[in-house]
């Protein structure tokens, strides 16, 4: 089978809206979007507090957080696997090899990323604001929601970065999800499996969609920043 | 527009005329940072109901002195006392910075935010917002994203926003340092329009002409030290310190 045939077959699968393909894409989105939402709720305020508060060991925490941005997905998968396995501390919930386990793993993977990037963005905004808020007598901790809101444009691109990392990683979801057909198969694990099996059509179709996703995420990120430039449209009275 | 509570100029003016009461008295205030003495012992009085200009060349410590007075930084040693001789709590204060700090929100939201955050009674918000927009001359731009305003509009907004909090004392740190002549005149007009309603306006500037236009009272600062302070007329006509004379002659370069 040559390359052209594979690509052609892949497009046929995509445009015929193959039910297996759609199911896998749908699960990928379900898992990764859930992870991003949870990570955002935890990570963005965490990053903001680290950006705005002054406490002992803050510098070390920032270094650790930045280092955690590069967590290898397989290591996260392994750790979550150990936690969720029958003998593990969370074994009683019987979550291993379920989409929930995959959401947990991806959340662990991208929460540090979102927290670290949010910290940078919030810190930039807060540097401009800090003295004015001190003058108003508003304590930094009370200003956290304000600054998160005012940094919303930058934070949008952070969430997109987190989503991009979640949907494209394979190591963590493979280990804790197990790549079970009709249950825990997502785009990346399917590509790995089908390629190994030699069924390149489906793998290539999913690969193309992933590439498209990447393009879309970056285009969105760019659009968000462009809208924020003139920004008049963002103002709400 | 009158406010109750802290003694404004009108209520205290009688006292002021009789006793020359001071709004704020600094007693041997110093500031060190990293082993360097940034402010050498300052003992000075800021009079009540006046426009006090902290004057001096760049790097003299004017802004630090202003931040010490406002409480943004804590002195290393010495004491600040508001309305010395009375048991009054510190007055309500607001500050306008040389580069106005505007929130990434609309003009109106910028005015409304500190009203909400500092717990100004809700029923007063609408009226104060309207007045602030008129005061800043930005009624037509209430919905505009504040960071897109011009430099002059931004500073007018910052000043109107500070005034909307109805402070007793208004601090301004080089409010026109980055503005052109027209915008500078706007800001000075705004200051002069409200200073009668305040217990004091304290402004820093390196601009001698601006000091002459605004000051009732001058605190002259050089190299982290208050060299001379007193009524503006006598300072400008008969400066006592040699540094002050050289500054007034435009000869102070370091």
């Amino acid at each position: 089978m040559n390359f052209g045939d594979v690509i052609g077959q892949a497009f046929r699968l995509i445009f015929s809206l193959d039910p297996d393909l759609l199911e896998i894409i749908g699960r990928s989105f379900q898992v990764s979007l859930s992870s991003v939402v949870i990570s955002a709720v935890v990570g963005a305020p965490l990053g903001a507090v680290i950006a705005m508060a002054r406490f002992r060991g803050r510098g070390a925490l920032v270094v650790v957080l930045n280092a955690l941005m590069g967590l290898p997905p397989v290591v996260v998968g392994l750790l979550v696997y150990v936690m969720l396995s029958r003998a593990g501390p969370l074994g009683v919930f019987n979550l291993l090899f379920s989409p929930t386990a995959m959401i947990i793993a991806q959340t662990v993977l991208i929460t540090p990323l979102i927290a670290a990037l949010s910290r940078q963005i919030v810190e930039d905004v807060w540097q401009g604001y800090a003295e004015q808020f001190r003058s108003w007598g508003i304590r930094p901790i009370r200003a956290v929601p304000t600054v998160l809101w005012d940094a919303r444009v930058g934070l949008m691109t952070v969430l997109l970065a987190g989503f991009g990392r979640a949907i494209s990683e394979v190591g963590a979801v493979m280990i804790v999800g197990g790549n079970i057909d009709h249950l825990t198969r997502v785009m990346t694990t399917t590509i790995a499996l089908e390629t190994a099996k030699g069924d390149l059509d489906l793998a290539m179709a999913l690969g193309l969609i992933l590439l498209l996703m990447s393009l879309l995420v970056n285009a969105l990120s760019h659009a968000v920043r462009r809208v924020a430039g003139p920004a008049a449209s963002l103002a709400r009275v | 527009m009158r406010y109750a509570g802290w003694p404004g100029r009108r209520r205290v003016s009688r006292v002021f005329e009789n006793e020359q009461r001071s709004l704020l008295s600094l007693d041997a205030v110093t500031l060190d940072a990293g082993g360097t003495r940034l402010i050498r012992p300052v003992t000075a009085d800021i009079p009540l109901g006046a426009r006090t200009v902290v004057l001096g060349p760049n790097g003299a410590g004017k802004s630090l002195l202003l931040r010490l007075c406002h409480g943004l930084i804590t002195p290393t040693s010495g004491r600040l006392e508001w309305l010395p001789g009375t048991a009054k709590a510190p007055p309500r204060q607001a500050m306008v910075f040389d580069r106005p700090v505007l929130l990434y929100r609309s003009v109106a939201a910028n005015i409304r935010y500190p009203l909400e955050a500092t717990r100004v009674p809700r029923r007063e918000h609408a009226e104060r917002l309207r007045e602030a927009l008129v005061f800043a001359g930005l009624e037509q731009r209430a919905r505009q994203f504040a960071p897109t305003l011009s430099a002059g509009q931004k500073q007018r907004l910052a000043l109107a926003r500070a005034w909307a909090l109805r402070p007793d004392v208004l601090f301004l740190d080089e409010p026109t340092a980055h503005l052109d002549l027209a915008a500078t005149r706007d800001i000075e007009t705004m200051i002069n329009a409200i200073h009668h309603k305040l217990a004091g306006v304290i402004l820093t500037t390196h601009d001698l002409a601006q000091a002459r236009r605004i000051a009732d009272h001058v605190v002259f600062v050089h190299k982290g030290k208050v060299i001379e302070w007193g009524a503006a007329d006598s300072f400008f006509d008969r400066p006592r310190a040699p540094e002050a004379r050289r500054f007034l002659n435009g000869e102070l370069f370091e």
Side-chain angles (χ1 to χ4, degrees):
Chain A
M1 185 183 279
N2 66 38
F3 187 71
D5 288 343
V6 173
I7 297 277
Q9 206 51 46
F11 273 109
R12 221 157 295 140
L13 272 177
I14 294 171
F15 288 113
S16 68
L17 301 175
D18 180 78
D20 282 351
L21 187 78
L22 290 182
E23 187 195 334
I24 292 167
I25 295 170
R27 187 167 305 109
S28 266
F29 269 79
Q30 179 209 335
V31 169
S32 294
L33 280 176
S34 306
S35 307
V36 168
V37 169
I38 299 168
S39 298
V41 169
V42 177
L46 183 71
V49 168
I50 294 170
M52 294 162 68
R54 290 288 171 273
F55 51 87
R56 275 172 67 94
R58 179 180 174 274
L61 187 60
V62 169
V63 171
V64 169
L65 200 59
N66 285 341
L68 288 178
M69 280 201 288
L71 267 180
V74 279
V75 175
V76 171
L78 176 63
L79 291 175
V80 174
Y81 183 93
V82 170
M83 298 291 283
L84 297 183
S85 66
R86 285 241 174 258
L90 303 177
V92 289
F93 297 109
N94 206 12
L95 291 173
L96 207 54
F97 306 128
S98 71
T100 309
M102 297 156 77
I103 292 171
I104 292 172
Q106 288 197 341
T107 302
V108 172
L109 181 72
I110 64 171
T111 298
L113 176 88
I114 288 181
L117 295 178
S118 301
R119 202 263 318 154
Q120 279 170 18
I121 283 175
V122 168
E123 201 161 293
D124 286 348
V125 173
W126 181 240
Q127 255 168 20
Y129 282 12
E131 206 170 31
Q132 178 72 73
F133 276 70
R134 199 166 151 72
S135 169
W136 283 333
I138 301 169
R139 292 213 317 277
I141 203 77
R142 272 187 59 210
V144 166
T146 308
V147 178
L148 279 175
W149 174 248
D150 285 10
R152 61 196 175 278
V153 174
L155 292 177
M156 276 306 294
T157 64
V158 170
L159 297 192
L160 287 170
F163 178 73
R165 179 154 164 83
I167 201 150
S168 62
E169 71 86 21
V170 55
V173 282
M174 180 71 98
I175 294 180
V176 304
N179 196 25
I180 303 164
D181 207 4
H182 299 302
L183 183 62
T184 61
R185 299 190 89 177
V186 289
M187 290 195 276
T188 53
T189 58
T190 310
I191 291 173
L193 178 76
E194 299 301 324
T195 307
K197 276 178 19 189
D199 181 3
L200 297 184
D201 299 347
L202 185 56
M204 186 58 78
L206 289 167
L208 286 173
I209 287 172
L210 262 180
L211 278 176
L212 202 69
M213 286 300 312
S214 175
L215 192 71
L216 200 70
V217 164
N218 277 290
L220 264 177
S221 186
H222 184 71
V224 165
R225 258 178 257 137
R226 283 212 24 164
V227 171
S233 59
L234 278 175
R236 291 279 177 277
V237 176
Chain B
M1 265 186 293
R2 291 269 290 126
Y3 63 96
W6 232 68
R9 182 176 180 153
R10 289 190 196 158
R11 201 176 337 148
V12 185
S13 56
R14 280 168 287 131
V15 187
F16 181 53
E17 282 151 18
N18 297 337
E19 297 178 30
Q20 286 286 315
R21 279 183 50 189
S22 56
L23 170 69
L24 174 64
S25 125
L26 296 97
D27 182 12
V29 171
T30 67
L31 180 70
D32 298 350
T36 313
R37 175 140 289 192
L38 298 175
I39 298 287
R40 292 190 275 173
V42 175
T43 299
D45 276 313
I46 309 283
L48 190 60
R51 286 162 294 188
T52 298
V53 170
V54 180
L55 181 66
N58 282 336
K62 305 182 297 288
S63 293
L64 286 176
L65 198 59
L66 200 70
R67 282 165 172 74
L68 281 167
C69 292
H70 185 26
L72 287 180
I73 43 183
T74 315
T76 308
S77 67
R79 246 161 53 84
L80 288 107
E81 197 182 355
W82 289 99
L83 275 193
T86 69
K88 279 278 183 190
R92 285 185 303 180
Q93 306 160 35
M95 180 153 169
V96 173
F97 296 88
D98 57 341
R99 293 195 182 277
V101 180
L102 298 183
L103 306 180
Y104 294 108
R105 299 174 181 210
S106 71
V107 168
N110 262 279
I111 296 166
R112 202 181 291 121
Y113 181 80
L115 294 178
E116 287 165 1
T118 63
R119 305 211 170 83
V120 171
R122 190 157 289 278
R123 58 185 142 67
E124 295 184 23
H125 288 191
E127 177 65 10
R128 291 213 197 171
L129 171 63
R130 198 189 55 76
E131 283 176 4
L133 287 171
V134 172
F135 186 37
L138 294 172
E139 307 102 299
Q140 305 305 317
R141 296 179 181 272
R143 299 175 67 92
Q144 187 173 333
F145 190 56
T148 63
L149 294 172
S150 75
Q153 290 167 337
K154 281 180 183 168
Q155 195 59 293
R156 281 175 6 225
L157 172 58
L159 178 49
R161 181 179 63 177
W163 172 242
L165 293 171
R166 299 294 181 268
D168 302 305
V169 177
L170 182 63
F171 293 98
L172 303 105
D173 184 20
E174 299 262 6
T176 61
H178 308 290
L179 302 183
D180 66 12
L181 286 173
T184 297
R185 194 193 52 207
D186 290 341
I187 294 294
E188 290 178 2
T189 307
M190 287 173 75
I191 294 170
N192 290 334
I194 56 175
H195 98 274
H196 299 283
K197 297 162 188 160
L198 287 155
V201 172
I202 305 171
L203 168 145
T204 65
T205 187
H206 62 267
D207 179 353
L208 191 55
Q210 178 169 59
R212 286 183 190 276
R213 289 194 296 269
I214 292 182
D216 299 316
H217 192 82
V218 172
V219 176
F220 178 67
V221 188
H222 182 47
K223 291 187 176 173
K225 192 168 169 56
V226 171
I227 304 287
E228 183 169 344
W229 50 278
D233 294 345
S234 61
F235 174 82
F236 290 124
D237 295 344
R238 298 176 300 282
R240 294 186 302 273
E243 294 93 333
R245 274 199 292 276
R246 281 165 55 212
F247 185 77
L248 291 177
N249 289 332
E251 295 163 2
L252 192 69
F253 296 121
E254 37 120 26

